Amino acid sequence: MGRPAVAILGTRGIPAAHGGFETLAERLAQHLANRGWRVTVYCQHEVASLGRRFTPSTWRGIELVHVEVARKGALATLAFDWHCTRHAAGRDALCLVLGYNGAPFLPWLRLRGRTILTNMDGIEWRRPKWNHAVRGYFWVSEWIAAWASHRLIADHPAIADHLATRRPRSAIATIPYGGDPVTEAPTAPLDALGLTPQNYLLSVARIEPDNSILPIVRAFSRRRRGARLVVLGCLSDANPYHRAVRAAAGDEVLFPGGIYDPAQVRALRFHARAYLHGHRVGGTNPSLVEALWAGNAVIAHDNVFNAWTTGPGQFAFRDEDALEAAIHLALTEPESLAPARAAARRRAAEAFAWSEVLARYEAELIALAELAGSRQATPVSVRPDAAPRPR
């Protein structure tokens, strides 16, 4: 009997260096490889001129297929998704697709007999940053992915509710994002930025309107704080929203840019007085999960996505005045944060352990392999209710 096989599409590749999906792909690929699966992960490479389209390599027992695209930006991602799709179509493997950016190509995988499991990510077409044309593309892509995939994964119950307007609930599994506990961290990354432990608030997010970065900066900058606000994320003077964020910032706001080294980000989270999370659209946000695992008190925008992720015991805001009040409380009454920090760690352990997340993904893949009449995978030990069988 051959080893079960899975190809992971939809990310920039591993080792992870960009975001949540890449981290999920890296953790899941290693988990499956250690369990005896043959795992392939597609990796994007933007080049000035095309050399060799597909170049294989091996990393920790995982096959990496490096895909060259001689484009930039959104067109590069679309081209990458197409080349990954046509390459995976020729493989005898289950296809795990992370996100639906390349959904128009999924019917090709179905026509070639591949079995598809798709993590549907957030409701991308609702994000205000996109123009009408891009929103329309994402709206159509969501429908295509929902019906071209054999089974869907939602990373949040509210996303599952939304997907149930596209497909029957029996075709949807809810599996959140994972994280690791952070119980200690060096202070050297803080020293490099001139920060003092417990004397700054932290935001880690793309600098976009639907992440409430401008209200966060404005609320913090209303008065002198005797503390810092650290806003991690790339800024460009060519972007009007980024210019507005900089203009609103007082001299106690620090913009270090994008920091992608995991150890540095963990240290910044661990030593922060509180974590600010302004996301308004999405599912289980990886950055918020990581804040919970770091034991951060959280001040989050009050919506169904954040409320479920944080659980009870955190601070919520709906407008800038409420946000400013929460910031003031965090900076002037530090003893009020202790219950929130304890609640954060409890919630992380309860809902977002990588071991549970990865086991549930594997259970979904095994069930799909059985459904498709594929090779039988080595049995795994998961809770009976962890991953409902496809119907």
Side-chain angles (χ1 to χ4, degrees):
M1 183 182 295
R3 296 161 61 198
V6 60
I8 301 177
L9 302 84
T11 81
R12 297 185 185 182
I14 63 174
H18 296 282
F21 266 160
E22 284 71 30
T23 300
L24 170 60
E26 179 179 315
R27 296 297 292 261
L28 182 59
Q30 291 182 88
H31 170 82
L32 293 174
N34 291 337
R35 299 279 296 167
W37 289 72
R38 291 184 292 114
V39 183
T40 300
V41 179
Y42 290 92
C43 306
Q44 180 175 344
H45 295 273
E46 296 181 13
V47 296
S49 59
L50 189 63
R52 184 177 179 183
R53 177 71 72 189
F54 302 107
T55 303
S57 70
T58 302
W59 180 76
R60 297 185 181 180
I62 301 158
E63 180 191 24
L64 306 183
V65 177
H66 305 275
V67 183
E68 290 188 359
V69 288
R71 296 176 182 271
K72 297 289 185 181
L75 288 177
T77 300
L78 204 60
F80 170 69
D81 288 337
W82 163 240
H83 293 300
C84 292
T85 300
R86 68 185 184 87
H87 190 276
R91 294 289 187 93
D92 183 15
L94 299 172
C95 292
L96 171 61
V97 182
L98 300 179
Y100 55 79
N101 286 4
F105 308 130
L106 295 186
W108 176 246
L109 284 178
R110 287 292 297 258
L111 289 172
R112 295 295 301 273
R114 302 283 72 82
T115 302
I116 306 167
L117 175 66
T118 298
N119 181 314
M120 295 293 286
D121 199 11
I123 309 173
E124 195 68 24
W125 53 268
R126 285 187 184 172
R127 298 186 187 276
K129 67 176 182 177
W130 303 122
N131 62 36
H132 291 300
V134 174
R135 288 190 195 184
Y137 172 81
F138 282 129
W139 187 85
V140 172
S141 294
E142 182 184 81
W143 276 98
I144 294 172
W147 282 101
S149 305
H150 291 82
R151 191 153 169 82
L152 310 177
I153 291 176
D155 70 4
H156 189 287
I159 297 297
D161 291 342
H162 170 70
L163 294 177
T165 67
R166 273 70 172 139
R167 285 284 295 275
R169 283 191 181 272
S170 59
I172 304 164
T174 302
I175 308 176
Y177 191 76
D180 295 307
V182 181
T183 57
E184 60 181 4
T187 58
L190 280 66
D191 298 338
L193 296 172
L195 298 172
T196 303
Q198 296 302 309
N199 199 40
Y200 64 93
L201 305 179
L202 178 68
S203 166
V204 183
R206 291 187 178 91
I207 313 298
E208 297 172 352
D210 49 303
N211 292 341
S212 307
I213 305 301
L214 182 55
I216 287 172
V217 169
R218 280 198 305 240
F220 181 88
S221 301
R222 285 184 179 185
R223 67 178 80 178
R224 299 291 300 175
R225 303 290 181 180
R228 306 298 299 272
L229 168 63
V230 182
V231 180
L232 263 61
C234 295
L235 286 165
S236 168
D237 288 337
N239 184 309
Y241 187 76
H242 293 184
R243 293 198 301 270
V245 168
R246 281 194 185 276
D251 60 7
E252 293 177 305
V253 179
L254 176 64
F255 297 105
I259 296 179
Y260 301 105
D261 178 75
Q264 293 184 51
V265 178
R266 280 195 300 270
L268 289 169
R269 290 189 194 282
F270 182 75
H271 294 292
R273 176 74 65 89
Y275 175 73
L276 300 175
H277 189 77
H279 292 59
R280 297 168 181 263
V281 180
T284 300
N285 181 268
S287 185
L288 184 52
V289 169
E290 289 162 8
L292 297 176
W293 275 113
N296 288 143
V298 174
I299 302 171
H301 184 270
D302 188 5
N303 60 64
V304 65
F305 303 109
N306 297 336
W308 179 85
T309 303
T310 63
Q314 304 302 330
F315 303 90
F317 67 90
R318 282 192 173 274
D319 56 37
E320 202 170 300
D321 288 339
L323 172 57
E324 198 277 334
I327 289 172
H328 182 72
L329 178 70
L331 292 176
T332 59
E333 300 182 32
E335 66 280 359
S336 68
L337 302 182
R341 288 172 173 161
R345 291 195 181 277
R346 286 195 302 270
R347 179 59 177 160
E350 169 190 87
F352 306 117
W354 270 125
S355 58
E356 175 72 4
V357 168
L358 300 178
R360 291 168 71 180
Y361 267 93
E362 185 178 11
E364 286 292 332
L365 290 167
I366 290 171
L368 276 178
E370 293 172 350
L371 184 71
S374 301
R375 300 185 182 94
Q376 296 298 308
T378 303
V380 297
S381 178
V382 295
R383 294 201 321 265
D385 62 337
R389 297 276 291 270
R391 299 172 188 170

